[in-house]
Amino acid sequence: MRVLVGMSGGIDSSVAAYLLKQQGYEVTGVTMLIWNGRRHLPKQTKHMNSCYSPNEVEDLPKIKEIAEKIGIPHVTVDLSDLYERTIIANFQEEYLSGHTPNPCIWCNAKMKFGAMVDYAREKGLQFDKFATGHYARIARKGGRYALERACDPRKDQSYFLYRLSQEQLSRTLFPLGGMLKSDVRKIDVAQGFHKEGQDESQDFYSGDYTDLLDVENKSGDIVLKTGEVVGRHEGIWHYTVGQRKGLGVAAGRPLYVLSLDPKRNQVVVGYEEDTLEQTVTASQVNWQLLDHIEGEIEVEAKIRSTSRAMAAVARENEDGSVTCSFKAPVKAATAGQSLVLYQGDVVVAGGIITKAE
């Protein structure tokens, strides 16, 4: 079987390619280029371990060196213009609308498992499956494909992959899903891909996110829920729901960002108890284990990648959105982030958070 492996030059994708080659697959490595050289960003943001970085071209020799050690061919696919039109454009639109997006989730579905695979085929590459170094597994139940949490709970990336379609899941392999990160590191060092203690890859962009918005500061009021003005801000995009530090407002108790109002150009703040919500609704739902919900079902749900899954009851609404009623309040559910539903270790569905109350 022929397998195309997405290679970033990091530990995980390198070991994934190596393991597949050892298992007898005919492996080809592929790297997508997403950096658009027209963008001028502050010098200190140029971190080699971020995905969206001007150091991208400098990383290619290392990637090709690893491919040579494994004994596989390697190709590149330039998707920089498409990345600007889709991922960066969505990122800008969401932030300026008062939302806090997760570009990695969109990039996985639209770029890594979407455009990169399609463009590779257009370049004439022949392959049966696509693989990455993500920590997740794929389950098949009732004729449907669904993500399953990785065996290493500290590295599980199923939350970031919930938007993968049935077709994408059907053609995907995750060689590291059943492994511990510590064992992957040992293989990496033993094969000489990286030195021991190699840094992990970081976020998609290592600088201040506002660098990517291409907007000038816009002063406005920081207000309490009552409308009382308690401070000033230089742009609602400098804040995110749940934020406590850096508000620049003196108060007897810590204040938290409750919401961002682009129409009034206001940052609404309140106290910790004001950040607690019982129900969260998400739209643009992608279904995995199920193709819809009949009535109400018991689930565990995550409202952000770093939160733990919480017990909830989920229902599907007439407009196709999904609402979760949590059994215990959740803190600072944020519009633009994702609500992902699980049953056991398997992803039921997920969508973009639109409302919390």
Side-chain angles (χ1 to χ4, degrees), residues 65-85:
E65 177 188 324
I66 292 171
E68 289 177 5
K69 285 184 177 180
I70 298 171
I72 61 173
H74 175 267
V75 298
T76 59
V77 178
D78 188 347
L79 299 177
S80 57
D81 288 341
L82 182 62
Y83 190 86
E84 289 282 328
R85 296 196 307 270

Side-chain angles (χ1 to χ4, degrees), residues 63-295:
I63 298 172
K64 291 187 177 295
E65 177 188 324
I66 292 171
E68 289 177 5
K69 285 184 177 180
I70 298 171
I72 61 173
H74 175 267
V75 298
T76 59
V77 178
D78 188 347
L79 299 177
S80 57
D81 288 341
L82 182 62
Y83 190 86
E84 289 282 328
R85 296 196 307 270
T86 55
I87 308 306
I88 297 299
N90 174 264
F91 178 87
Q92 293 169 334
E93 181 181 355
E94 286 290 285
Y95 255 105
L96 297 178
S97 298
H99 299 164
T100 304
N102 191 321
C104 297
I105 287 173
W106 287 108
C107 181
N108 282 331
K110 293 181 177 292
M111 304 294 294
K112 291 179 183 175
F113 292 80
M116 182 166 71
V117 175
D118 295 339
Y119 276 56
R121 280 210 168 92
E122 288 181 11
K123 290 187 71 169
L125 293 179
Q126 302 294 317
F127 53 93
D128 306 296
K129 295 282 187 178
F130 175 64
T132 69
H134 285 95
Y135 288 82
R137 295 176 291 172
I138 297 176
R140 191 172 188 185
K141 299 187 179 183
R144 291 185 64 82
Y145 292 91
L147 286 162
E148 191 170 12
R149 286 187 177 108
C151 287
D152 190 336
R154 296 171 300 176
K155 298 302 297 181
D156 174 58
Q157 293 173 296
S158 58
Y159 178 91
F160 293 98
L161 298 165
Y162 82 87
R163 296 207 69 84
L164 297 189
S165 68
Q166 291 293 294
E167 193 276 330
Q168 287 172 325
L169 290 172
S170 72
R171 71 188 184 197
T172 297
L173 299 174
F174 292 124
L176 309 187
M179 300 180 66
L180 298 178
K181 176 70 177 194
S182 56
D183 293 330
V184 172
R185 279 188 174 275
K186 289 176 184 176
I187 294 172
D188 180 75
V189 173
Q191 295 303 313
F193 299 150
H194 303 90
K195 295 179 180 178
E196 192 167 357
Q198 171 74 19
D199 289 342
E200 293 276 12
S201 59
Q202 298 189 358
D203 205 347
F204 95 107
Y205 176 67
S206 60
D208 189 323
Y209 281 3
T210 59
D211 296 341
L212 306 178
L213 300 182
D214 297 332
V215 293
E216 298 292 333
N217 283 343
K218 184 179 179 181
S219 299
D221 292 328
I222 300 176
V223 302
L224 297 175
K225 291 194 298 181
T226 60
E228 178 186 349
V229 177
V230 294
R232 296 283 290 172
H233 68 77
E234 294 302 317
I236 63 170
W237 47 87
H238 293 291
Y239 302 83
T240 186
V241 171
Q243 179 179 336
R244 180 173 68 87
K245 297 181 179 180
L247 301 185
V249 177
R253 295 169 56 198
L255 289 171
Y256 296 77
V257 175
L258 302 182
S259 64
L260 304 171
D261 188 337
K263 290 183 180 179
R264 294 184 175 87
N265 191 27
Q266 291 180 337
V267 175
V268 182
V269 298
Y271 303 107
E272 184 171 17
E273 60 268 24
D274 297 322
T275 68
L276 301 178
E277 290 106 5
Q278 204 79 38
T279 64
V280 178
T281 297
S283 63
Q284 302 180 62
V285 177
N286 184 59
W287 297 94
Q288 291 203 351
L289 178 63
L290 303 177
D291 59 4
H292 70 99
I293 294 174
E294 292 279 2

Side-chain angles (χ1 to χ4, degrees), residues 20-90:
L20 289 169
K21 178 69 184 297
Q22 293 299 108
Q23 292 165 13
Y25 292 100
E26 184 181 320
V27 179
T28 299
V30 62
T31 300
M32 67 175 184
L33 305 179
I34 61 174
W35 174 254
N36 187 319
R38 296 187 298 255
R39 191 174 290 281
H40 301 289
L41 298 172
K43 192 171 183 179
Q44 66 268 23
T45 66
K46 299 181 180 180
H47 194 294
M48 66 179 297
N49 284 338
S50 58
C51 297
Y52 190 65
S53 163
N55 285 358
E56 182 180 73
V57 175
E58 298 172 21
D59 295 339
L60 278 177
K62 177 63 177 178
I63 298 172
K64 291 187 177 295
E65 177 188 324
I66 292 171
E68 289 177 5
K69 285 184 177 180
I70 298 171
I72 61 173
H74 175 267
V75 298
T76 59
V77 178
D78 188 347
L79 299 177
S80 57
D81 288 341
L82 182 62
Y83 190 86
E84 289 282 328
R85 296 196 307 270
T86 55
I87 308 306
I88 297 299
N90 174 264

